[in-house]
Amino acid sequence: ETGVTQSPTHLIKTRGQQVTLRCSSQSGHNTVSWYQQALGQGPQFIFQYYREEENGRGNFPPRFSGLQFPNYSSELNVNALELDDSALYLCASSDKTGGIFNEQFFGPGTRLTVL
Amino acid sequence: AQSVTQLGSHVSVSEGALVLLRCNYSSSVPPYLFWYVQYPNQGLQLLLKYTTGATLVKGINGFEAEFKKSETSFHLTKPSAHMSDAAEYFCAAFRNNAGNMLTFGGGTRLMVKP
């Protein structure tokens, strides 16, 4: 069973640029959630995708957007990067069956640095 | 809005001593509760979870936590700390009608002294 994978592991961008982060969910999982973890803080929920539709969103501006593909992998896109976007971005996959929550499995994260 | 508070951003114990990491949640309806561990440059690993049923939950690596509704707490304990327990620990809560998100506490860094 393959776990959650994320790419790239590290990324350096400059202010104003755009970035795309990728996540492959664990086999059999249909739900992907994205979290932002700033240095020294707990992860903050960005949004969740279930069967290719956004299924919940945290307090993040519209320049944070996402996609989920038919194979349940996902992308996180951030436009007009700001210095405060520097963080570890975590992807988590889970299996939502019949509305019942199942454990979220986290990937190793992508470390984004905005200069 | 639901929130999770972890008391103590840093906790230091000696090897072999009791580990106690504190977590309180604010919610009129008890959420599902979780403890995660994060080692440097890694993602989050689930230690244990409480959903329903028995309030004393046992997890991996000898950790356990007790859900106390009257105190809105879910403190993490381990009888005897090991050097390998040094890491960042996060308490998190989930409610199905709260945007389907995990709400995390700020984290507690556990240091284990030899």
Side-chain angles (χ1 to χ4, degrees):
Chain A
E1 183 179 86
T2 307
V4 179
T5 60
Q6 293 185 243
S7 64
T9 54
H10 295 84
L11 203 52
I12 299 176
K13 291 285 189 178
T14 56
R15 283 175 52 188
Q17 286 189 311
Q18 178 267 342
V19 69
T20 298
L21 310 182
R22 295 177 175 82
C23 171
S24 291
S25 58
Q26 185 163 311
S27 177
H29 286 181
N30 55 21
T31 304
V32 172
S33 303
W34 286 92
Y35 295 84
Q36 180 196 67
Q37 185 180 14
L39 199 61
Q41 297 182 27
Q44 299 288 317
F45 175 73
I46 303 175
F47 44 55
Q48 181 183 86
Y49 278 82
Y50 170 60
R51 292 186 174 179
E52 303 177 58
E53 298 277 337
E54 188 177 288
N55 190 45
R57 189 177 183 93
N59 190 26
F60 280 81
R63 60 189 185 85
F64 285 78
S65 63
L67 284 173
Q68 187 179 33
F69 299 100
N71 67 353
Y72 302 127
S73 65
S74 177
E75 286 182 354
L76 164 65
N77 297 290
V78 187
N79 294 321
L81 283 168
E82 301 177 359
L83 297 180
D84 285 349
D85 296 333
S86 295
L88 180 68
Y89 288 84
L90 295 166
C91 166
S93 76
S94 58
D95 177 30
K96 184 177 288 186
T97 304
I100 296 175
F101 172 76
N102 292 296
E103 175 190 341
Q104 294 188 15
F105 292 82
F106 283 82
T110 293
R111 172 75 60 188
L112 173 65
T113 301
V114 182
L115 302 177
Chain B
Q2 176 173 257
S3 69
V4 176
T5 303
Q6 291 183 239
L7 203 59
S9 58
H10 292 80
V11 170
S12 180
V13 301
S14 297
E15 192 173 19
L18 171 72
V19 175
L20 170 61
L21 305 183
R22 300 179 187 274
C23 173
N24 288 87
Y25 65 91
S26 66
S27 173
S28 58
V29 176
Y32 295 164
L33 294 162
F34 304 82
W35 276 99
Y36 286 89
V37 61
Q38 186 176 37
Y39 297 100
N41 301 314
Q42 294 187 26
L44 301 174
Q45 180 183 9
L46 182 68
L47 280 177
L48 48 79
K49 62 183 177 184
Y50 169 77
T51 52
T52 57
T55 56
L56 182 61
V57 180
K58 295 187 184 300
I60 62 172
N61 301 338
F63 284 93
E64 61 182 37
E66 186 172 11
F67 170 66
K68 291 187 177 180
K69 184 178 178 180
S70 61
E71 299 177 6
T72 61
S73 69
F74 190 56
H75 301 331
L76 181 71
T77 60
K78 181 174 180 178
S80 176
H82 192 272
M83 295 297 291
S84 62
D85 294 328
E88 188 89 20
Y89 291 81
F90 293 95
C91 181
F94 176 89
R95 288 177 57 201
N96 271 310
N97 62 349
N100 301 307
M101 64 183 184
L102 279 168
T103 299
F104 285 87
T108 297
R109 180 165 298 280
L110 176 66
M111 294 167 284
V112 182
K113 299 174 292 187

